[in-house]
Amino acid sequence: MTTGVHDQGSGPRSFAAMMAIRSATRLPEWIATARANADHGLRGFADGLLADVDAVVLGLSTEWSSGCVEGRVTDIKLLKRQMAGRAGLPLLRKRVLLVAADRQQHRVTNQTTH
């Protein structure tokens, strides 16, 4: 049996486990182990986490999520790409507002049916 990065506590699965339980208590240990192990490609990722460790700790330990905002940004970028060179700002504004209203209607409908 070989000992891989998953056995050492510095692999992607151990990081995913921290994310799943939303706990950052082992994060400093995980970063140190990942940075010390040159056998896998997580050193750069660990360096990036270390660069902004306070934000990462908050992201792992808080219940808040930016998922809904990211969904709106994705919608707007998609509309922008679809309309590139085709129409001006007034039409783009109308389409963005229509997509936002449609999402709002789906959100209200889903909340009332559950």
Side-chain angles (χ1 to χ4, degrees), residues 22 54-64:
R22 304 198 65 78
D54 293 335
V56 175
V57 168
L58 265 173
L60 283 173
S61 58
T62 186
E63 293 294 321
W64 295 97

Side-chain angles (χ1 to χ4, degrees), residues 5-23:
V5 292
H6 304 299
D7 301 330
Q8 300 169 2
S10 65
R13 290 182 192 217
S14 59
F15 187 77
M18 277 192 292
M19 289 180 61
I21 61 172
R22 304 198 65 78
S23 172

Side-chain angles (χ1 to χ4, degrees), residues 26-48:
R26 293 192 51 222
L27 184 65
E29 174 191 342
W30 187 91
I31 291 173
T33 307
R35 292 183 77 220
N37 189 350
D39 294 339
H40 56 80
L42 292 176
R43 184 182 175 102
F45 178 67
D47 288 341

Side-chain angles (χ1 to χ4, degrees), residues 85-101:
R86 294 185 180 167
L89 190 58
L91 183 58
L92 177 62
R93 181 178 181 276
K94 284 183 182 181
R95 289 200 60 195
V96 167
L97 293 174
L98 283 172
V99 167

